[in-house]
């Protein structure tokens, strides 16, 4: 019996030692890779902001978080205020998420100082394969569902099936509604942040 106990103790000790070694290795790998991953994410976001603001020579001057209640749930939006090289305001890019057909859809939308849509990019989605790619192109300038230049302040953007002015993606009304909802909510966050700044300056 004593021999069995000794063997069991040795096995447990080896397993614990192995687990600690693996944990240390994973921690080291995480430490080594977190810098490059963060840098890549930062560059991807910076490129996305330039794309949706339709300008390359710009910089983010301020990042704000706006919280708003939507259908009884608190949503969080990130507003990136953007300026040109001379420091003049160019508007803002707003990051938001909404529920699509397959899950969350995360969108980045660019607005000029008047609230006109300059561009958009779908950062993440869980839609049926192919639909996300369609949405990425469908609402761009010159496309069938073109929203560029529209201003949600003049009325929420909705699909024609709901009496609105935007053509939905063929056979994908739910994804189109989710996308437009994200754009409308992004504008509300942008307007709330802009109005808050104006009030603070008065």
């Amino acid at each position: 019996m004593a021999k069995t106990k000794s063997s069991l103790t040795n096995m447990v000790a080896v397993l614990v030692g192995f687990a600690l070694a693996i944990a240390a290795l994973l921690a080291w790998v995480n430490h080594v890779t977190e810098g490059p991953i963060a840098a890549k994410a930062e560059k991807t976001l910076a490129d996305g902001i330039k794309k949706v603001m339709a300008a390359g020579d710009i910089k983010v001057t301020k990042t704000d978080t706006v919280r708003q209640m939507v259908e009884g749930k608190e949503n969080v939006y990130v507003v990136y205020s953007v300026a040109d090289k001379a420091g003049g305001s160019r508007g803002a890019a707003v990051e938001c998420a909404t529920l699509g057909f397959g899950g969350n859809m995360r969108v980045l939308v660019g607005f000029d100082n008047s609230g006109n849509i300059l561009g958009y990019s779908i950062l993440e989605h869980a839609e049926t394969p192919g639909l996300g790619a369609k949405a990425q192109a469908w609402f761009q300038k010159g496309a069938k569902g073109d929203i560029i230049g529209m201003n949600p302040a003049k009325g929420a953007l909705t699909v024609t099936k709901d009496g609105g002015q935007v053509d939905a993606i063929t056979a994908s009304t739910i994804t189109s509604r989710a996308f437009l909802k994200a754009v409308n909510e992004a504008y509300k966050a942008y307007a709330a942040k802009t109005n808050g700044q104006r009030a603070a300056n008065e």
Side-chain angles (χ1 to χ4, degrees):
M1 288 295 286
K3 193 171 182 181
T4 305
K5 280 185 179 179
S6 177
S7 297
L8 185 59
T9 303
N10 289 343
M11 285 173 57
V12 169
V14 168
L15 286 173
V16 169
F18 183 72
L20 289 173
I22 292 296
L25 179 62
L26 288 174
W28 177 78
V29 169
N30 182 58
H31 176 70
V32 169
T33 58
E34 68 182 350
I37 289 171
K40 185 178 179 183
E42 192 175 318
K43 184 181 185 309
T44 299
L45 178 61
D47 290 344
I49 291 172
K50 287 177 182 178
K51 178 182 175 184
V52 303
M53 294 303 295
D57 199 12
I58 57 172
K59 62 181 177 180
V60 174
T61 56
K62 191 176 180 187
T63 302
D64 293 298
T65 299
V66 176
R67 297 174 186 275
Q68 293 188 335
M69 295 300 291
V70 179
E71 297 171 359
K73 178 186 171 188
E74 185 181 64
N75 281 5
V76 179
Y77 308 86
V78 183
V79 182
Y80 304 96
S81 299
V82 174
D84 57 26
K85 205 171 184 180
S89 173
R90 292 290 300 269
V94 182
E95 184 180 337
C96 70
T98 191
L99 192 63
F101 178 73
N104 269 354
M105 178 183 287
R106 200 160 58 93
V107 180
L108 185 67
V109 189
F111 299 98
D112 68 13
N113 290 317
S114 299
N116 300 310
I117 298 169
L118 295 171
Y120 75 88
S121 181
I122 296 175
L123 303 175
E124 181 186 331
H125 71 87
E127 303 303 279
T128 304
L131 285 183
K134 274 190 181 179
Q136 189 70 268
W138 186 268
F139 304 100
Q140 299 288 3
K141 190 167 184 64
K144 193 162 184 183
D146 185 354
I147 64 166
I148 308 306
M150 290 186 174
N151 192 322
K154 297 174 182 176
L157 306 185
T158 55
V159 296
T160 52
K161 192 172 183 178
D162 298 333
Q165 64 282 60
V166 182
D167 287 330
I169 300 169
T170 307
S172 188
T173 305
I174 295 174
T175 297
S176 301
R177 284 175 177 149
F179 169 77
L180 293 176
K181 182 181 178 186
V183 172
N184 291 324
E185 290 179 5
Y187 173 74
K188 288 176 186 174
Y190 170 65
K193 179 237 134 197
T194 303
N195 292 338
Q197 279 189 345
R198 283 177 185 155
N201 292 334
E202 287 174 356

